């Protein structure tokens, strides 16, 4: 997987299969690459909204041909049970993705409980600064835009560090830039963050 060159003022972290890799998710990325070593051929991946779980799972499925279940906590228990057994019988990796940790899945089947408990569990941590910068840059690069260095540094010191906040701020700055017909600069960043500080927008963290 090669790094994608983006027209940015500040170099982003490496892009792997459509997602950025920084210390915030490096352990998850490493284990996805080393799927042959998974305990019972199963990995349970959890993390907050907008943290890239689905994108990572999609890239994993394309590269390995493994089994992937998104929103696994909402799936039928028997389905997960049979997929877990299939993964072990066929020695084919199974990736279960959920926003909730397994302890909150309310699994009633004892056999499934024991299988999930024996599987590898990983959680994507909060976004670090390289991840925040990279996500903002990537968001605007896709639209043929850039975000200025001083705007990034301003947000770095003041924004709530969550994936949801990154997404909502990017969307707000995009809308303000279109409305004002200006680039994504410091003024746009201040205005966008101000709407959240003033309580005009709800931040889903």
């Amino acid at each position: 997987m090669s790094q994608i060159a983006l027209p940015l003022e500040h170099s982003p972290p490496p892009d792997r299969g459509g997602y950025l890799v920084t210390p915030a998710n490096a352990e998850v990325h490493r284990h996805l690459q080393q799927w042959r070593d998974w305990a019972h051929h199963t990995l349970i991946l959890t993390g907050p909204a907008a943290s890239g779980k689905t994108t990572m799972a999609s890239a994993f499925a394309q590269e390995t041909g493994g089994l992937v279940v998104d929103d696994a906590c909402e799936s039928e228990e028997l389905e997960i049970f049979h997929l877990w057994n299939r993964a072990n019988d066929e020695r084919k990796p199974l990736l279960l993705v959920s926003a909730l940790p397994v302890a909150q899945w309310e699994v009633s089947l004892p056999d499934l409980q024991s299988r999930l408990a024996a599987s590898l569990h990983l959680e994507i941590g909060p976004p670090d600064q390289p991840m925040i910068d990279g996500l903002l840059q990537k968001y605007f690069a896709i639209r043929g835009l850039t975000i200025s260095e001083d705007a990034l540094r301003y947000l770095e010191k003041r924004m709530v560090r969550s994936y949801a906040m990154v997404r909502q701020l990017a969307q707000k700055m995009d809308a303000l830039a279109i409305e004002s017909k200006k680039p994504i600069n410091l003024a746009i960043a201040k205005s966008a963050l101000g709407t959240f500080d003033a309580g005009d927008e709800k931040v889903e963290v």
Side-chain angles (χ1 to χ4, degrees):
M1 293 175 287
S2 60
Q3 180 174 341
I4 299 175
L6 301 177
L8 309 176
E9 297 185 5
H10 187 69
S11 298
D15 188 296
R16 310 294 188 190
Y19 61 88
L20 301 173
V21 179
T22 75
N25 64 355
E27 182 182 8
V28 173
H29 174 70
R30 178 173 62 84
H31 280 284
L32 289 175
Q33 299 294 303
Q34 300 174 353
W35 55 270
R36 292 178 181 83
D37 299 331
W38 292 358
H40 302 288
H41 309 285
T42 302
L43 169 61
I44 302 172
L45 176 60
T46 61
S51 60
K53 300 185 301 297
T54 300
T55 303
M56 297 180 89
S58 177
F60 171 80
Q62 292 178 13
E63 293 175 10
T64 68
L67 305 170
V68 174
V69 180
D70 208 353
D71 295 325
C73 60
E74 304 294 334
S75 299
E76 293 291 336
E77 292 186 19
L78 280 176
E79 177 188 1
I80 300 297
F81 177 80
H82 290 310
L83 285 175
W84 193 98
N85 288 336
R86 176 185 170 187
N88 282 264
D89 291 341
E90 299 179 3
R91 304 183 68 83
K92 189 173 186 177
L94 170 63
L95 178 60
L96 303 177
V97 182
S98 172
L100 298 177
V102 175
Q104 298 180 29
W105 286 18
E106 299 182 354
V107 177
S108 59
L109 289 176
D111 286 344
L112 179 57
Q113 289 177 348
S114 61
R115 283 163 170 75
L116 294 178
S119 303
L120 176 62
H121 296 228
L122 290 177
E123 180 180 9
I124 299 176
D128 52 21
Q129 198 55 49
M131 177 65 74
I132 292 173
D133 288 353
L135 288 174
L136 288 173
Q137 292 172 351
K138 186 174 182 179
Y139 178 93
F140 293 117
I142 291 172
R143 289 155 178 76
L145 304 171
T146 61
I147 178 170
S148 66
E149 183 73 19
D150 56 352
L152 286 173
R153 298 290 76 82
Y154 176 85
L155 295 174
E156 174 183 337
K157 299 176 181 178
R158 296 166 177 83
M159 66 178 285
V160 174
R161 287 176 174 262
S162 78
Y163 294 98
M165 183 59 165
V166 172
R167 180 176 58 185
Q168 292 177 63
L169 257 179
Q171 292 172 344
K172 188 65 177 180
M173 287 189 287
D174 197 8
L176 289 173
I178 292 174
E179 180 181 344
S180 63
K181 298 181 181 180
K182 295 180 179 179
I184 313 297
N185 54 23
L186 179 58
I188 293 291
K190 287 182 176 181
S191 181
L193 189 60
T195 63
F196 293 94
D197 291 340
D200 296 335
E201 302 281 350
K202 179 182 179 181
V203 180
E204 299 176 356
V205 296

